[in-house]
Amino acid sequence: MTTNTPSLRIVLAFTPDDMAWLRRSQIAVPAFWDGHAVAPLVDDLLRFGGRQFTVKGRRWEHDDSGPQLRLFLSSAQAESDTVFG
């Protein structure tokens, strides 16, 4: 899943189980960083489809289209399982 900002492409890397859940549920991943110039950081949280994901790692890559930031996400957790504090 790729999100584009003016100069940065962000690719989300989900676990195989979460990718299967996204396909089965036909959930569209929101373009979280469209229009933002600040790249996401480790431990940032993403919520959609009733589940929450944590950015666990980042890897910068470059291909023919330019730079991209690959975000490795945790396994999904139900929002009600989330503990803040």
Side-chain angles (χ1 to χ4, degrees), residues 21 27-30 32-33 44-54 77-84:
W21 167 74
I27 294 174
V29 178
F32 289 103
W33 289 278
D44 278 351
L45 301 175
L46 310 176
R47 289 184 183 174
F48 61 92
R51 298 196 180 178
Q52 177 173 293
F53 302 86
T54 303
Q77 297 178 354
E79 289 184 36
S80 61
D81 294 343
T82 303
V83 176
F84 294 97

Side-chain angles (χ1 to χ4, degrees), residues 14-23 51 53 73-76:
F14 293 92
T15 65
D17 287 342
D18 290 330
M19 282 300 298
W21 167 74
L22 288 166
R23 279 192 301 273
R51 298 196 180 178
F53 302 86
L73 303 177
S74 68
S75 295

Side-chain angles (χ1 to χ4, degrees), residues 5 10-11 17 38 46 64 66 83:
T5 62
I10 297 173
V11 178
D17 287 342
V38 178
L46 310 176
D64 293 339
V83 176

